[in-house]
Amino acid sequence: MKLKKLGALLLAVTMATGMMAGCGGKEKSDDKGTKQESGTEGGDDSQSGEVTTLTFYNADLQEDDPWTDPVAKALTEKTGVKLEVDHPVGEDKEKVALMIAEQKFPDMIYAKGDASSLIDAGVLIDMTDLIEKYGPNIKKMYGDEMDKLKHSQDDPSIYQLSSYEKGGTKYEDSGTAQVQFDFLKENDYKIPESLDEFEQMLKDYVAAHPKTEDGMDTIGLSLSASDWHWMITLGNPAGYIAAGAPDNGQWLVDENYNATYKFTSDKLREYFKWLNKLYNEGLLDPEFATQTHDDYIAKISSGRVVALLDTLWDYQDGEKILKQDNKLGKTYCGIPLAADKDIKVPTLMYQGLATGQGVGITTSCENPEAAIKFLDYICSDEGQVLVNWGIEGTNYKVDENGKRYREQSEIDASKNDKNYQKTTGVGFHGYPFPRYGVGVEDSTGNTYTTASRDSVIAEYNEEQKAACKAWGVDLLLDVFPQQDEFEVPAFSPIWAMAEPQELTDIITKLDEIAQPSLVSAVMAKEGEFDGVYDKMISDLEKSGMDDAQQMMTELVQDKAALVE
């Protein structure tokens, strides 16, 4: 089975008849058409003193990357490659489509969710042979998950290397719900075992603390659902909490790889009915569906919001302000909240290598060998230490036992200096390139990343330490179901998969129905919830949901078959 994007044939014809452009931004080329610069930098592939410049488009980069920081310079020194990096500017969401229309491509590209368009247009090369010849470290990194990089059963080409971690575990996570440490303390660090118990604990706490120290009204629970954040705070927690399902975007997948648009699930329906109850009781922020995300963050930073259903990267800006104001009791602790005690929340589950989004080499690249060697170096032990830890003697040191460590001043700078990554290059060149996950060790017994179990524990603040003591654990996540309690799925997480355009278009319609319908259901008057929810399901069915479920099932089954 090979699913094709709508319009792929037209794009292929356009590509065949259009005039192919050379690698973007090249000023002077050698006999292979690759830009060369004279100089003294270079590793094994630049013994002549010349540096190969490859253009690279990063769809997720939000600021310039001039490739002048110390880590970037070290990468060039080791590989003989310098990257000329381009990225979206402002609301430039059609950059990849424009590249295809104009037939102008960089040497390497991270297109994120637009990768399928490039694959269908024949723009990304199959890297299989290059990896076999020049990629020993790539093969080592991906190991038993190498087959997941293949596009499909019908087309087993490797068009991209994953932009996400290979292997690893978690030492930090915000769980399925987040509650203030003050709330935990007042409840003797009790972790609620059901939604009803959580609701009662919230109700009691808000009744006991109706106002903050600043005189503001206490908010039991708040969400951010007025824009795309609805997927993070309204949609995602429903799957985790009600179904014990891992993150597969808007989908639930059963043991036979059948995919269901998750909001039709009876378990999720009951979860949203619970939110409706909280809304009518006044525990759920009445502005959850109308406030901007900035408003949401402002409420969090004020210390008013007792509980969240979110994820750290989404609310951390508000929590940073609380830490700056030394209001640690108002910061949040992630907990394994589930609808009932029989549900095992999948917070620590390793879902396997996420594929469908990653770095690829385009047909415009006239020196793909240099590109693959650069990527292979990134995958090497030396390369991983360089991008994660930085320069030895400057960003980290090695003790007499061979253990890498960072001095406190470096740790503080990495946490508090917003320009740290950009100026030092440490951590700036990891994503979206291949990399090992947190906790994976190299041949020396050191972790590839700076984060380790010991380092996380050592950096706990007084509130985090108190919670660990109360729970009798060393790590906050020790109270969660552990990673070895879950099997690794045979397919990549759905949110990362490259989908055919036809499927993407239907999912967009479904999501456009789901967002306002779920909001309306949660805000419905008592007794009106079921009618609103039934109408949502009817509207979804009329908008191609059955076709989408069939296509997604075929896609998941195809991906699983690659490794089974």
Side-chain angles (χ1 to χ4, degrees):
M1 183 278 295
K2 185 176 181 181
L3 296 169
K4 289 291 184 183
K5 285 194 171 224
L6 197 61
L9 179 60
L10 177 61
L11 287 172
V13 171
T14 301
M15 183 172 180
T17 58
M19 182 174 293
M20 293 297 293
C23 296
K26 291 179 178 166
E27 299 168 358
K28 179 182 177 182
S29 301
D30 62 6
D31 57 352
K32 291 186 178 181
T34 303
K35 181 177 174 181
Q36 302 289 324
E37 298 176 2
S38 60
T40 58
E41 293 181 318
D44 293 341
D45 297 303
S46 57
Q47 296 302 313
S48 63
E50 294 184 329
V51 173
T52 300
T53 296
L54 299 177
T55 52
F56 174 53
Y57 175 76
N58 183 348
D60 238 8
L61 192 65
Q62 300 300 313
E63 55 185 334
D64 290 337
D65 178 5
W67 206 255
T68 55
D69 62 74
V71 171
K73 289 181 178 179
L75 284 169
T76 298
E77 191 174 310
K78 293 292 184 179
T79 65
V81 169
K82 176 181 179 181
L83 295 189
E84 189 174 287
V85 185
D86 188 19
H87 62 91
V89 178
E91 293 297 314
D92 187 3
K93 297 178 180 179
E94 305 299 326
K95 187 93 172 195
V96 172
L98 183 62
M99 289 179 190
I100 295 174
E102 296 181 345
Q103 292 292 287
K104 294 181 180 179
F105 308 105
D107 297 314
M108 296 193 297
I109 187 168
Y110 171 58
K112 202 173 182 181
D114 290 324
S116 286
S117 299
L118 296 172
I119 294 170
D120 289 340
V123 175
L124 299 183
I125 69 170
D126 178 6
M127 295 185 283
T128 303
D129 290 342
L130 287 170
I131 292 171
E132 188 62 34
K133 189 172 182 179
Y134 302 111
N137 294 300
I138 294 173
K139 291 194 291 184
K140 175 191 170 190
M141 174 179 283
Y142 290 118
D144 59 359
E145 294 195 272
M146 192 79 186
D147 284 341
K148 290 184 178 180
L149 295 173
K150 295 176 180 178
H151 186 58
S152 68
Q153 288 190 88
D154 289 347
D155 180 9
S157 303
I158 297 177
Y159 294 115
Q160 303 175 97
L161 302 183
S162 175
S163 57
Y164 297 97
E165 296 91 345
K166 167 62 171 71
T169 187
K170 294 180 181 178
Y171 300 125
E172 297 177 282
D173 197 274
S174 46
T176 55
Q178 304 79 42
V179 294
Q180 291 179 335
F181 281 99
D182 283 349
F183 170 85
L184 276 179
K185 279 185 288 188
E186 188 146 329
N187 285 282
D188 295 324
Y189 295 93
K190 166 72 174 176
I191 298 175
E193 295 184 343
S194 68
L195 292 179
D196 289 341
E197 185 176 18
F198 184 49
E199 175 187 344
Q200 189 60 53
M201 290 167 67
L202 271 179
K203 192 178 297 183
D204 293 344
Y205 186 83
V206 172
H209 306 277
K211 300 280 187 180
T212 67
E213 293 180 354
D214 300 328
M216 295 180 290
D217 291 334
T218 299
I219 299 171
L221 173 70
S222 191
L223 310 174
S224 177
S226 66
D227 56 20
W228 65 268
H229 292 88
W230 78 273
M231 296 183 181
I232 312 303
T233 67
L234 189 63
N236 285 353
Y240 310 149
I241 294 171
D247 187 2
N248 277 309
Q250 308 294 51
W251 300 88
L252 298 177
V253 181
D254 68 15
E255 64 276 8
N256 296 315
Y257 308 123
N258 295 305
T260 302
Y261 191 68
K262 70 182 182 184
F263 301 123
T264 62
S265 162
D266 289 341
K267 290 182 178 180
L268 269 69
R269 182 186 184 116
E270 288 304 309
Y271 170 83
F272 287 110
K273 183 175 284 189
W274 173 76
L275 283 181
N276 171 250
K277 183 182 179 185
L278 263 59
Y279 179 81
N280 285 312
E281 290 177 346
L283 282 177
L284 176 58
D285 187 350
E287 298 176 332
F288 83 93
T290 56
Q291 64 187 349
T292 66
H293 195 66
D294 286 342
D295 293 334
Y296 170 72
I297 294 299
K299 287 179 179 178
I300 291 171
S301 66
S302 71
R304 299 174 61 193
V305 185
V306 180
L308 307 172
L309 300 169
D310 205 341
T311 192
L312 179 59
W313 61 261
D314 195 45
Y315 67 81
Q316 64 183 356
D317 286 347
E319 191 171 58
K320 285 178 181 177
I321 295 175
L322 290 170
K323 291 178 179 179
Q324 290 171 5
D325 294 340
N326 200 32
K327 296 180 179 179
L328 295 180
K330 301 301 181 185
T331 60
Y332 297 92
C333 180
I335 60 172
L337 179 67
D340 60 64
K341 62 182 179 181
D342 294 327
I343 293 176
K344 186 164 61 174
V345 298
T347 296
L348 300 187
M349 177 182 181
Y350 175 55
Q351 285 186 255
L353 182 67
T355 60
Q357 298 182 13
V359 175
I361 302 171
T362 76
T363 52
S364 288
C365 182
E366 296 171 353
N367 195 344
E369 292 86 359
I372 203 70
K373 288 179 180 179
F374 174 82
L375 293 171
D376 188 67
Y377 178 77
I378 290 283
C379 293
S380 70
D381 283 8
E382 184 176 278
Q384 287 289 290
V385 172
L386 176 58
V387 298
N388 284 303
W389 288 82
I391 310 299
E392 182 178 351
T394 300
N395 307 115
Y396 75 93
K397 296 181 180 179
V398 180
D399 67 19
E400 63 277 8
N401 297 315
K403 292 295 183 181
R404 288 189 290 272
Y405 70 96
R406 297 183 298 168
E407 294 186 333
Q408 192 60 46
S409 58
E410 189 74 15
I411 294 173
D412 292 343
S414 68
K415 288 185 174 183
N416 303 323
D417 182 357
K418 65 179 182 179
N419 295 316
Y420 173 84
Q421 286 193 340
K422 192 172 181 180
T423 55
T424 65
V426 179
F428 193 56
H429 305 289
Y431 176 83
F433 295 110
R435 62 197 186 282
Y436 289 103
V438 173
V440 180
E441 296 182 352
D442 63 16
S443 59
T444 68
N446 287 286
T447 55
Y448 288 105
T449 63
T450 56
S452 65
R453 183 181 177 89
D454 290 343
S455 69
V456 169
I457 293 172
E459 294 172 23
Y460 276 162
N461 61 42
E462 60 191 57
E463 294 292 346
Q464 293 168 316
K465 291 176 182 177
C468 285
K469 183 177 181 180
W471 289 333
V473 298
D474 297 320
L475 193 75
L476 291 171
L477 292 186
D478 287 344
V479 299
F480 286 67
Q482 296 300 295
Q483 182 173 313
D484 60 8
E485 298 180 45
F486 301 92
E487 292 185 7
V488 179
F491 60 95
S492 167
I494 288 179
W495 52 261
M497 285 186 182
E499 303 164 351
Q501 190 61 46
E502 182 182 3
L503 177 55
T504 298
D505 291 343
I506 298 176
I507 293 174
T508 298
K509 292 179 183 178
L510 299 180
D511 290 348
E512 288 173 349
I513 292 170
Q515 179 187 10
S517 297
L518 291 172
V519 166
S520 295
V522 172
M523 297 177 67
K525 294 180 180 179
E526 188 175 353
E528 296 180 0
F529 173 88
D530 286 327
V532 175
Y533 212 91
D534 286 341
K535 183 179 186 304
M536 177 188 72
I537 293 177
S538 176
D539 291 342
L540 291 171
E541 291 172 343
K542 294 174 183 177
S543 300
M545 182 178 70
D546 289 344
D547 290 338
Q549 291 182 156
Q550 180 62 33
M551 284 188 280
M552 184 59 77
T553 295
E554 291 177 3
L555 182 60
V556 172
Q557 290 176 347
D558 182 90
K559 295 295 185 183
L562 287 170
V563 300
E564 290 188 331

